Amino acid sequence: MAEKRKDSKGRVLQKGEHQRADGTYHYTWLDAVKKRHYVYAKTLPELREKEQELSAGMDIKALQNVMGHSDASITMNVYNHSSFERTEKEVQRIDNVINF
């Protein structure tokens, strides 16, 4: 089995994520017409935040087509990161429904 790619701090890089020689990061993907796109960031957390912003609120099948993924499960694994704030907001929403 192939080893997972890691950055200089030992963090596992996801598909499309790369660390550049100067220590910054970029994310690359091909859209539905195979045009390559890039997003750049100084840190890996900042890059992942930008990835999340790109996909926020977008229908998962639409995002799959835009990113050129062969399967929606790939899209879900790459873009369905949950931040603490989003998790807390969902817990509050569920609590409001239960305790109406």
Side-chain angles (χ1 to χ4, degrees):
M1 189 166 127
E3 277 196 43
K4 296 185 182 228
R5 295 178 309 108
K6 296 182 179 181
D7 68 1
S8 62
K9 295 181 180 179
R11 297 176 293 197
V12 174
L13 296 173
Q14 298 175 4
K15 182 177 180 181
E17 294 177 344
H18 305 275
Q19 185 175 30
R20 300 166 50 131
D22 64 1
T24 61
Y25 296 85
H26 76 271
Y27 175 75
T28 182
W29 76 93
L30 298 174
D31 64 16
V33 293
K34 305 297 183 206
K35 181 177 178 186
R36 189 172 307 275
H37 298 273
Y38 299 92
V39 175
Y40 299 93
K42 291 182 180 180
T43 66
L44 187 57
E46 181 183 334
L47 181 69
R48 289 185 175 161
E49 188 174 308
K50 288 181 178 187
E51 290 176 49
Q52 191 173 7
E53 287 174 12
L54 286 172
S55 64
M58 188 180 281
D59 174 73
I60 203 65
K61 289 299 283 184
L63 183 59
Q64 172 195 347
N65 291 331
V66 169
M67 296 304 175
H69 295 148
S70 60
D71 191 293
S73 65
I74 296 169
T75 309
M76 289 294 292
N77 289 335
V78 172
Y79 295 101
N80 199 20
H81 309 295
S82 182
S83 68
F84 178 76
E85 292 83 15
R86 285 176 51 187
T87 302
E88 192 173 66
K89 188 176 180 180
E90 287 303 309
V91 167
Q92 184 63 45
R93 185 183 65 80
I94 292 167
D95 191 46
N96 289 341
V97 170
I98 292 172
N99 296 319
F100 56 95

